[in-house]
Amino acid sequence: MAFLSDPSTKYRAFPQIDLPDRQWPSRTITKAPRWLSTDMRDGNQALIDPMNEEKKTRFFELLVKVGLKEIEVGFPAAGATEFDFISGLIRKGSIPDDVLIQVLTQSRRDLIAKSFESLQGARAAIVHLYNAVSPAWRRIVFDMTRDQIRDIAIDGAKILRDEAARQPNTEWHFEYSPETFSTAELDFSLEVCAAVMDVLRPTPERPLILNLPATVEAATPNIYADQIEWFCRNVPNRDSVVISLHTHNDRGTGVAAAELGLMAGADRVEGCLLGNGERTGNCDLVTVALNLYTQGVHPGLDLSDIDEVVSTVNYCTNIPVHPRTPYAGDLVFTAFSGSHQDAIRKGFTAQEQRNDAFWDVPYLPIDPADLGRSYEAVIRVNSQSGKGGVAWVIEQDKGLKLPKRLQADFSRVVQGLADETSRELDATDIWGAFETHYRLAGAQPYELISYEEQQSGRDRIFVGRVRHAGQETSISGRGNGLLSSVLAALRDGFALDLDIVDYSEHAIGIGGDAQAAAYVEVRAGDRSVFGVGIDADVATASVRALLSAAASATA
């Protein structure tokens, strides 16, 4: 079938919500919601190979470590693996006192009873009841009327109430989802939820969780926010319910829908770490939490070791994390583009110089260090990179702070290497090219063997031994300082006519054993060449830099 020239003949635009006085667009999220992880249920059912007990246990431990206080651990009526894992958590005492486990069940007596059976002995638990309410499900899947659908929810709520009464030693909490809420009539969703509330009688002290899922994301996130705000305004006894969001990512806006839903008045967010879930995925809890963090709101979750989160999720689900996944991907803090690299490098420099603590680095909405990432991989080099990126890698790897004009000189060397190899260049590649180009290692056309300085009135005299063309040569020169006397020695000894254009130096690291780096730009005829010298003694480093430049001048 060909791509339709007029898709309106097959698909209809989702209708707007009649809410002319909507308030959510002007609101700001100022506190973290309650979080529920559905990784072990919604996430698990999305896997080609569902998690075994070992992987489920490892995932549960990660969720607890991250700080999740509500965890949907499975669908106990689905089979023995689910049931045994849930009952095993309770039997082994694996559930911390401040963590509520949750189980999911359809509104059927046998499934609800099985769910309560799996929770025997639990200190506290949430039982999550659901049934689909939207027109497509009523008409196509169930062939039922609105009254029949409402009765399913009411009957399930009554069974919840009665089963909980049989286990009075457990602190029971209930959640109800009008599944497919986002594509259902708002008045009918409200009618069904109110009927469930009439059965379960929630109070402000023991509220009912009403989960309003975008089971299938069928509209823009603003429409979902309108639905949530409308529901929050109209639900009876609002202080006796917790409004929970469960967004899917069919349109790629699951995170945005959850954030706008919070602005619209919701209290709780359900989702998976890194957005796993059936079809296109559930809301990515890591992204929502760290979006809050970058706005100065602590999410109540500890994501300070993002690499552990990524590696554990990858191991347990066998689903790789895309390298550009927000916050968590391997490359999200990495820039290859020259202009990006230059802005980031300047941003880090400015950040160090400012007196205030607020983070303000171009292209980096969060400090990678807050997530346990180093700065070394922030800038990486390939054929798209510029001088700033190359300078960053050299500085991070070797502590050398290259002058701007030397950066431009060396970036041409790196560009040529990148074009030649057609691959990313790592720090070893770049340092090897730097050593070779500026004669810091290997055979050197002008190799310093020894030297001494002498004073003659106001003049300085350089006397040194230099190996050139396989022979040691004694050279000497007079000037008003060390550098000018070395230039005089090179002119007299090797007929090199060089003039200094720029010179700079700095310590590499701190402490008594820190080395010095010296950089020099010299004019050789009608061109400029550069030299670099490194030594424990700053004066010797400057001599080596001039000899490095001399080598470039005669290359």
Side-chain angles (χ1 to χ4, degrees), residues 333-334 368 373-380 392-393 396-397 427:
F333 302 123
T334 300
R373 294 270 177 90
S374 71
Y375 296 143
E376 292 179 3
V378 168
I379 291 175
R380 288 160 58 177
W392 169 272
V393 173
Q396 294 297 305
D397 187 45

Side-chain angles (χ1 to χ4, degrees), residues 197-241:
M197 292 174 67
D198 286 342
V199 174
L200 296 177
R201 300 292 181 183
T203 66
E205 295 72 31
R206 186 61 62 83
L208 170 66
I209 301 169
L210 290 178
N211 185 49
L212 307 179
T215 307
V216 178
E217 189 177 40
T220 50
N222 62 296
I223 290 181
Y224 184 65
D226 281 349
Q227 292 172 325
I228 299 302
E229 182 170 336
W230 185 95
F231 192 94
C232 287
R233 289 188 190 185
N234 290 280
V235 66
N237 302 318
R238 176 65 178 89
D239 61 351
S240 296
V241 295

Side-chain angles (χ1 to χ4, degrees), residues 26-48:
S26 61
R27 292 177 183 159
T28 301
I29 304 172
T30 58
K31 65 177 183 178
R34 288 170 57 173
W35 305 101
L36 173 87
S37 161
T38 61
D39 290 276
M40 306 182 71
R41 197 275 303 169
D42 212 341
N44 191 46
Q45 74 180 18
L47 304 178
I48 297 173

Side-chain angles (χ1 to χ4, degrees), residues 43 71 85 92 95 109 158 300 373 485 539:
I71 302 171
F85 174 74
K92 297 172 186 176
I95 306 166
R109 180 176 294 277
K158 289 177 180 178
R373 294 270 177 90
S485 63

